[in-house]
Amino acid sequence: MSTPDATDEQLRFLMRCAQDGDAAAYSALLTAITPRIRRAIRSRRSFLGAEAVEDLLQEVLLSIHAARSTYDPQRPFAPWLGALIRYRLADAARQHAKQGAHEVTVDDLDVTFEGRAANTEDGSVGDVEALAHAIRALPPGQRQAIEMLKLKEMSLKEASAATGLSVGALKLATHRAMTSLRRALGATGSDED
Amino acid sequence: MKTDDLIAGLAGTLTPIQRFNPWTRASVWMAAAAVYLAIVTAMVVVGLSHSGASSDPLYVVQQLAALAAGITGAVAAFLSVVPGRSRRVIAWPLGAVLVWLLAVLWGCARDLQSSGTLGFASQTDWPCVISISAGGVLLWAVMLSMLRRGAPVTPATTAMLGGLAALGVANVEACLTRPHAFSGIVLLWHGGTLLVMTAIFTSTGGRLLRWPSSALRATRRKSHR
């Protein structure tokens, strides 16, 4: 059973308290407007899946948090919220279009690449113990990046959200970690030879 | 991350905030612009600078229109960083710019009638180009730092409005300190500078004020701690 939407008067009161630092009022406000935002996203982006809707909803909540100082309690709450939802959706559409412009759709991808380096005769997976040891020896930041992006196969966005690090910092840490691992494993291999 | 967890995280890191009042901020910026104009006027009065002031009604209308562009542009820029405000405020500075342009064109028509020329070739006006650009950048930078406290959801429009405000005031300063024999000079050199600088401000400011990316990143980091 769904609860009835809070009135604009109630939302204004909660936002005024939130601006004064009342965490309980803020939590109540965000909880009250969440279904309203979800409905607005679904009605304007009906083609989105549940997960994408939730992502956008969270972006809107973060926008509300970032813009909360601009709300004037003397004015209605709904137009302020509506404008933020509208701008956030437009921004997401722009980002999506920008990403799409740099992506190429490939219908039929070869199983292997033609390059010699991608077609080695050696099918073994290498020394797993040495790899695990080399990963353990990495500095904490690089080890975390490798574990999240390579072992757990998280996306850069997910890893960024989980660690609080920027995507750029994660890319750099991964690059450095890969260089260190290559050096470490290469050295091990040559020692054994 | 679940939405409920995000809400708990945001509420958990909540601190009291100072409300963003666009009218107060616009007033503060206008006070800074008034100080800038007062210094220039004082320099003209004590003889440290040339005077371009005139009692010609057309000159007065041009300066009042430029000042109106400064005032309405500042108000519109600060209102544009408050979500949900009417977009009609954008028309205010554009109306003032239109009045300024009509006054200059009227002056051109009058020059043509009285002197038989628009006087485009009579003088170059690089000092005005430099003073409008430098003054505009200074006042615009001050405004930009104040606008960042709001929510610039349409950064390019906000930057353009701020640019019109700053350039309006800088144009008054240029007209106060340099005499112009023909309105055609003002149209060509001042109008051209205003056009180019507005384009630069719009494109640069659109990037500098980009929202909510940087604000969101900071918020997300805090809510994850």
Side-chain angles (χ1 to χ4, degrees):
Chain A
M1 199 179 88
S2 64
T3 52
D5 280 352
T7 63
D8 200 84
E9 191 66 37
Q10 290 168 324
L11 297 177
R12 277 164 68 175
F13 172 74
L14 289 173
M15 190 55 165
R16 191 166 57 234
C17 295
Q19 287 179 326
D20 293 336
D22 185 338
Y26 191 45
S27 179
L29 171 79
L30 295 181
T31 306
I33 60 175
T34 293
R36 193 181 290 201
I37 300 168
R38 198 179 279 124
R39 271 202 307 275
I41 296 170
R42 278 191 190 138
S43 71
R44 288 172 206 181
R45 298 281 188 274
S46 52
F47 53 87
L48 289 178
E51 200 176 324
V53 169
E54 218 55 23
D55 272 356
L56 266 176
L57 164 66
Q58 293 188 8
E59 298 271 310
V60 174
L61 290 175
L62 285 165
S63 300
I64 290 167
H65 187 74
R68 69 192 189 283
S69 68
T70 63
Y71 175 67
D72 176 2
Q74 304 299 319
R75 300 174 71 85
F77 184 78
W80 183 82
L81 175 63
L84 277 177
I85 296 172
R86 207 166 45 247
Y87 289 126
R88 204 66 201 89
L89 287 177
D91 194 49
R94 266 196 300 274
Q95 296 285 336
H96 184 72
K98 207 184 280 180
Q99 279 171 8
H102 297 292
E103 284 174 4
V104 178
T105 308
V106 180
D107 293 330
D108 189 17
L109 190 68
D110 291 335
V111 175
T112 58
F113 293 98
E114 287 180 12
R116 193 183 293 172
N119 292 286
T120 54
E121 294 298 316
D122 184 11
S124 68
V125 292
D127 190 342
V128 179
E129 276 297 312
L131 177 63
H133 180 74
I135 290 174
R136 277 198 298 274
L138 289 170
Q142 293 180 18
R143 190 170 62 241
Q144 188 184 36
I146 282 290
E147 282 172 355
M148 287 188 164
L149 296 169
K150 301 294 177 188
L151 301 182
K152 293 180 185 171
E153 296 186 334
M154 291 167 81
S155 69
L156 278 165
K157 198 178 169 187
E158 288 168 341
S160 170
T163 57
L165 293 170
S166 69
V167 168
L170 281 168
K171 280 183 179 173
L172 185 65
T174 311
H175 174 73
R176 285 180 177 162
M178 291 299 282
T179 308
S180 303
L181 289 176
R182 250 184 234 116
R183 202 181 302 124
L185 294 173
T188 307
S190 60
D191 287 346
E192 283 170 1
D193 289 342
Chain B
M1 181 186 236
K2 286 181 181 171
T3 302
D4 290 343
D5 295 338
L6 177 69
I7 291 173
L10 293 176
T13 56
L14 190 73
T15 49
I17 43 149
Q18 192 183 3
R19 290 188 187 105
F20 181 94
N21 187 329
W23 298 99
T24 308
R25 286 187 174 262
S27 305
V28 170
W29 183 84
M30 281 187 262
V35 169
Y36 173 72
L37 282 182
I39 291 170
V40 172
T41 309
M43 283 169 70
V44 171
V45 169
V46 299
L48 284 173
S49 172
H50 294 290
S51 173
S54 160
S55 57
D56 177 7
L58 215 50
Y59 172 88
V60 175
V61 169
Q62 285 174 21
Q63 304 323 307
L64 286 177
L67 262 185
I71 294 167
T72 55
V75 171
F78 283 104
L79 283 176
S80 75
V81 296
V82 177
R85 287 285 187 152
S86 168
R87 310 299 294 163
R88 271 179 293 186
V89 292
I90 297 169
W92 299 351
L94 296 180
V97 170
L98 189 66
V99 171
W100 177 82
L101 188 63
L102 287 174
V104 175
L105 286 172
W106 185 277
C108 288
R110 199 178 60 179
D111 289 343
L112 198 60
Q113 200 175 27
S114 61
S115 313
T117 175
L118 288 171
F120 285 143
S122 64
Q123 71 176 95
T124 56
D125 204 9
W126 287 111
C128 280
V129 172
I130 293 167
S131 73
I132 291 173
S133 304
V137 167
L138 175 74
L139 292 168
W140 184 69
V142 172
M143 183 180 280
L144 220 61
S145 68
M146 295 170 76
L147 287 167
R148 290 176 72 89
R149 294 291 304 274
V153 285
T154 48
T157 307
T158 298
M160 182 202 70
L161 292 168
L164 284 179
L167 292 168
V169 174
N171 184 62
V172 172
E173 179 268 322
C175 288
L176 270 177
T177 54
R178 197 158 297 277
H180 300 92
F182 291 95
S183 286
I185 298 296
V186 177
L187 180 69
L188 187 69
W189 292 85
H190 288 221
T193 307
L194 297 178
L195 209 62
V196 171
M197 290 306 289
T198 304
I200 292 172
F201 286 160
T202 306
S203 100
T204 315
R207 280 193 288 273
L208 292 174
L209 282 176
R210 194 173 292 147
W211 193 92
S213 318
S214 55
L216 274 186
R217 225 177 286 137
T219 305
R220 189 172 279 155
R221 266 199 297 273
K222 271 187 199 163
S223 69
H224 272 290
R225 275 175 201 157

